């Protein structure tokens, strides 16, 4: 599971992390976009679509500032028994 700060620059960071993981033969179950600050920058609205456009790793969740629960049901077989 790759957790990415949903902010300016996260597209590049995400693609680099995926490339390194694949080089090291690590599987990535999915991406979680995490808004770790209360304020949005303009990129927060387009990051998810751009990441989805550039990679085949699914975005399984988006965590907004102040969220207290996370639905990871999209992970299916990756979830522990």
């Amino acid at each position: 599971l790759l957790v990415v700060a949903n902010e300016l620059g996260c597209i590049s960071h995400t693609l680099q992390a995926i490339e390194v993981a694949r080089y090291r033969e690590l599987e990535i179950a999915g991406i979680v976009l995490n808004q770790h600050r209360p304020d949005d920058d303009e990129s927060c609205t387009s990051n998810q679509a751009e990441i989805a456009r550039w990679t085949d790793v699914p975005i399984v969740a988006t965590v907004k500032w102040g969220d207290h629960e996370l639905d990871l049901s999209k992970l299916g077989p990756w979830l522990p028994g």
Side-chain angles (χ1 to χ4, degrees):
L1 192 59
L2 179 60
V3 179
V4 178
N6 191 8
E7 61 187 3
L8 186 64
C10 81
I11 297 167
S12 174
H13 295 155
T14 303
L15 296 177
Q16 289 175 2
I18 291 169
E19 185 175 336
V20 169
R22 288 182 172 163
Y23 177 79
R24 294 183 181 181
E25 299 180 0
L26 301 172
E27 292 184 69
I28 301 173
I31 298 167
V32 174
L33 284 174
N34 181 34
Q35 183 182 347
H36 63 98
R37 292 187 294 222
D39 56 325
D40 281 344
D41 64 47
E42 290 182 28
S43 70
C44 289
T45 58
S46 61
N47 287 335
Q48 182 170 351
E50 288 300 311
I51 290 170
R53 185 172 81 119
W54 287 98
T55 184
D56 60 349
V57 178
I59 297 174
V60 297
T62 301
V63 180
K64 300 285 186 190
W65 174 259
D67 281 356
H68 297 284
E69 294 183 21
L70 181 58
D71 177 12
L72 292 177
S73 60
K74 292 181 183 177
L75 289 175
W78 292 94
L79 292 173

